Each structure stands twice: as structure tokens, then as C-alpha cells.
Amino acid sequence: MTDAELLTRARDWLDQDPDPDTRAELAGLLALAEDGGAAALADLADRFRASLEFGTAGLRGALGAGPNRMNRAVVMRAAAGIGAWLGGGGRHVVIGYDARHRSADFAADSAAVLTGAGHRVSVLPGPLPTPVLAFTVRDLGADAGIMVTASHNPPQDNGYKVYVGGTGHDAGTQIVSPVDTEIAAAIDAVGPVGALPLGEEWTVLGEEAVERYLAAVTSLPLGSDRDLATAYTAMHGVGGRVLLQAMERAGFARPAVVAAQFDPDPDFPTVEFPNPEEPGAMDMAAAEGEAAGVDLVIANDPDADRLAVAVPGHGLLTGNEVGGLLAEFVLDHTCGPERVVATSIVSSSLLGKIAADRGVHYEETLTGFKWLARAGAPGRKRVFCFEEALGYCVGGDGGRPVADKDGISAALAVAALAAGAKREGLTLVDLLDAQARRYGLHLSDQLSVRVEDLSVIVAAMRRLRAEPPAAFGPLKVAGMDDFAGGRAGLPPTDALRFRLEGSVRGRVTLRPSGTEPKLKAYVEVVLDVDGDAAATRARGSELLSELMASVADAVSA
């Protein structure tokens, strides 16, 4: 695209942009570019030489004018494409949104476009957690759901998730292929935004939507132990009010909250990144927990679909550690051999051992809850699934309230688990040690190699396939599993797993990130525990660090 073509495309976009804010932003850039401004031309090129790609994760990107940004025009086209994909009208769509910049506007624009296309729309009553939307789609038997959120991305981002509806086995789950390509094609076929018919009448649901969600998650089998003191941070997101209501209704004491991070704030002023996995993000919660003398510190990410857990005096537990503990808790409170537990190919191998020991079905899926929530054949009970990135889906014998990750119901289950341990004079760390003695100590970590040029990742994966490393650190590579052609019934994906052997067992799994220019490595070591679990953990941590350094060298070569 020549500079002249770029400027023409930007002017055409300006003519159809329905938002005075982004029109003003784009008009200013155009004026600078037309005056020969090189930086303005480069900015326009980034905005107009590509478009945000609609995939199974929907849309996600920085706010701003142009097709490669999140803005009202892009969102209205997406809504029109979803409406066309649903059919000629009369379908029911539920829309939720978080408290990020422009989320409420994007929700209203989506409602206007969908009602203008003849569909029936229900909008949640204010900024609410993603799990509330996922629950409500299935609760109302809607045909689809839309959630406006960028989860724990930086403040300048926003996004758009789509859920399938109906009443079938996968109702209330995020879309998977080929639905994404079908919707993307429908979006591409949308004409000028200004020509879209817009409706004005949609339903704004009342607080009963939240009430029904709370009734469902607090009816999960949580045992009877409730003596637990907790500290909580909402990380400037939308989970705070719902989490406190859920804890109270389930019979737990009100957590000590981090007041500076409790109310929704789209600028996330107290954290560098609003992700509880990031260094420093949990510091204020840890300080609140120490001051209050609590037993447990918990955190949600900004849209409250993830849960972080820290034990005072020990620190943050990994998603794999919490997943292993919750798996046994859920299996202790459910029954039947038809139960299904699942995790992803990049998460800990521990869950498979727990499932075999308990005599329940185990499945390993591709990364993402769009796959995890679908695990298990129809007729089986999906009681638990998790991924290492702090995502958990908790169910009971009557099913699961949410067919997606849910940081609220997971918080209830973790609190119940910790309260039961406290009654026995134990902490979650003690439970981890006991679990390690039964199944082996599973330690995990991950690293991300960020690149400017995506071809670097392509070349690295090609090289590692053609010439697999003979070893990582002191552990030999016993074999390599390539998921590119599909494996064990899984759809094809660009991932490699190296099985390690030596003084201990282990594995390294590599995959390109689906949302960022990163190559991600997931490393696990498994050690037998003979006697002192703490000493074994210290030895394993040293080995894990050595492996991480070796993996970093291998993927960066």
C-alpha cells in the first residue's frame, strides 16, 4: 500500500467513524501525515495496513481509530457479523461488559446493531465479571453471548469475546473453530457502518441476573468448614462486589479488602500490569493480609475469571499447585466414576495421576478454556478443569454453574479447602506437601521470549522440530511430541513437548502465544519425596531454575 493509498483509506474510515473522539484523533493524525509527518504516517500505517483479526478469542487490541484498533466502528462491524452468523433475526443474545475504557459504549453499540438486525438482546445490569455473562448465557438459554473485556491486559486495551448458547453439551462455552472463521467471514461482508440499521429497544437485566449467578455458585458442594480469615484484592476490576457477596452468602467472614484496588478503575493506577501473576501486582494484598493476620490472600484479575492464591509466610501458589489441590477437593465432594477432570497440554501432569488414583476420567486439551470447558463426552459429569494460568472451573454432582473459568466460584472452593485444613491445624502448603508424598513433587515454571518479528518464532519452532535438543540442563530428552499434526485426538496446534529423564522426570512444552508476539515455554520437574518434603522442594527448585536457564538458551539460539 502506497502512502497515497494509505491516506485515502484513512479518509474513507474517517467518513464512516461514528465516534467523535476517534474521528478527532484520526483527523489530527491525517493532518500531520498530509503535512509530511513521518511519525504520523507510520502510526497510520500501523492502524490501516492490517485489521484486528477475529479468532476463537474474539477481538483484542489497543483502543484508537482505525481497523487495527478497538473502537466503535470495529465493534459495530463485529456485532453485525455475529448477527449475520446467527441468522435472519429472532435470536437471543446476552451482552456483558467490564469497567475498561469504552466497554459500556461497545456493549451499547453491539446491542443497537443486533436489535437493528432483528435479534433480541439482553444486557447485564452494569460492569460485571466475565463468569456472570458466561453463566447467564446458559441460564437464559440464549443463542449467543458477548463479553466486552480485555481481561488482564494493559489499560490501553479492550476486547470482545463470543460465547455459544443453546441448551446443549457445550452451551455457555467460548467459540471454537470453525465458528471463528464463519464469524470473521460475516464481518468481512459487512458494508459501511453508517448503513447499518440500529435498534433502540433492548432489555437491561436487573440484579436478578447476579442473584441467580450467586445462588448457583454458592450451592456448590463446599463442605461445612468456614473458619477462615482472608484478604482480597479486586485488582481495580469488576470482581469485588460479587466476590464479597459470594463469600458472605457461602458463610465465610468478610475478607479484609485492599481498599485502594477495590473499586473498578480502567487506568489500574496501583499496578504496572493488572495481572496477579506479574511481579509486584499482589504486593498490596500481601501487605493487607499481613496487617490483618489472615490465613489466606486471594485476588481476582480485572474481569474476575481468574484467581490468585497466596499463603502468608510462603507466597503466591502457582496455578498448577492450586489446580492440584482443588482437583482433590472437588473429587472429595462429588461421586461417581463418570466424573471428568481436565487440564491443558501446558499444565501440570499431576492431574492425570490424581484422576487415575481416584478412578475418574481424565482429559488433556489444547490451551484455553474454550477447549477445557468442552472436555468429556456427553453424559459424563464435568466436575473440574484448570489451566496453569490461574484459571479454574469448579462443578458438583449437579454440573457446573459456569462453563468457563470462574475466579469467584474458585475462590469459594479454595476458601472451603483452606478452612478444612485450618481445622486440622494445617495450611495449603501442608496439603501440597502431603499431595507430593502421594503423587510426587510437581514443580513448574514458565518463560516467555518476546520478539518484534513473528518470523523469529516460526524459525525457532522449525529449528527445534528439525534438530531437537539432546538435553535440557542435566536431563536428557527421551522423546518429542509434536502437536502440529494433531495428537491423541486433539486438533492440530503449533506446540512441541520434550519428555525428560535423568535423576528426576520432567517435560518442556513450547508454543507460540495466541495473543502476543511471544514464544512460551512451560517447564515441569517431578521428584519423588523421601522424607522431608521441604528439602525435596528446595532441591527441585534448584533443578527447575537450571532447566529454565537451559530452555531459555535453547529457544533463543
Side-chain angles (χ1 to χ4, degrees), residues 53 95 153 163 165 172 190 215 258 271 306 332 411 433 437 486 508 542:
E53 184 177 345
I95 299 175
N153 274 38
Y163 290 77
V190 173
V258 180
V271 290
R306 299 174 194 243
D332 284 342
D433 288 345
R437 294 186 186 96
V508 174
E542 291 180 3

Side-chain angles (χ1 to χ4, degrees), residues 42 49 100 106 160 208 321 355 418 435 438 459 478 546 548 550 556:
R49 285 191 171 140
R100 284 179 174 267
F106 294 164
Y160 203 75
E208 74 276 359
E321 289 173 329
Q435 193 172 64
R438 291 194 299 275
E546 189 175 352
M548 292 292 290
S550 178
S556 302

Side-chain angles (χ1 to χ4, degrees), residues 185-271:
I187 294 171
D188 289 341
V190 173
V193 169
L196 290 173
L198 302 180
E200 297 180 351
E201 296 185 3
W202 57 84
T203 300
V204 177
L205 299 172
E207 281 298 313
E208 74 276 359
V210 181
E211 294 291 326
R212 290 178 65 83
Y213 167 81
L214 288 168
V217 298
T218 55
S219 67
L220 286 166
L222 300 173
S224 58
D225 294 299
R226 295 293 184 271
D227 179 17
L228 191 75
T230 58
Y232 170 73
T233 176
M235 205 70 68
H236 298 295
V238 294
R241 177 174 66 91
V242 180
L243 184 284
L244 293 188
Q245 289 176 317
M247 292 285 281
E248 179 183 358
R249 293 184 187 206
F252 293 100
R254 180 186 174 92
V257 302
V258 180
Q261 296 178 331
F262 187 78
D263 293 327
D265 188 329
D267 293 319
F268 308 108
T270 68
V271 290

Side-chain angles (χ1 to χ4, degrees), residues 259-407:
Q261 296 178 331
F262 187 78
D263 293 327
D265 188 329
D267 293 319
F268 308 108
T270 68
V271 290
E272 187 172 353
F273 292 100
N275 179 352
E277 290 182 291
E278 292 288 338
M282 292 279 288
D283 286 356
M284 294 181 75
E288 181 69 38
E290 182 177 356
V294 302
D295 305 303
L296 202 65
V297 178
I298 55 178
N300 288 132
D301 68 336
D303 71 328
D305 65 351
R306 299 174 194 243
L307 174 74
V309 179
V311 177
H314 176 83
L316 189 68
L317 302 187
T318 69
N320 283 325
E321 289 173 329
V322 174
L325 292 178
L326 278 180
E328 291 210 88
F329 177 81
V330 171
L331 292 175
D332 284 342
H333 291 83
T334 55
C335 61
E338 74 282 6
R339 290 172 292 172
V340 177
V341 295
T343 193
S344 68
I345 61 172
V346 302
S347 300
S348 176
S349 60
L350 172 62
L351 184 60
K353 298 173 184 176
I354 293 172
D357 185 50
R358 300 297 191 99
V360 301
H361 297 277
Y362 167 74
E363 289 193 21
E364 194 175 59
T365 77
L366 300 185
T367 56
F369 263 79
K370 59 182 177 285
W371 300 111
L372 282 167
R374 287 173 164 82
R380 290 180 176 166
K381 290 191 294 188
R382 298 160 163 174
V383 295
F384 181 69
C385 60
F386 86 96
E387 62 182 359
E388 47 73 40
L390 309 185
Y392 317 96
C393 178
V394 178
D397 285 325
R400 55 196 177 166
V402 178
D404 197 9
K405 55 184 176 288
D406 181 358

Side-chain angles (χ1 to χ4, degrees), residues 139-157:
D139 185 50
L140 296 182
D143 297 291
I146 294 169
M147 183 68 195
V148 182
T149 181
S151 188
H152 51 265
N153 274 38
Q156 65 268 23
D157 288 0

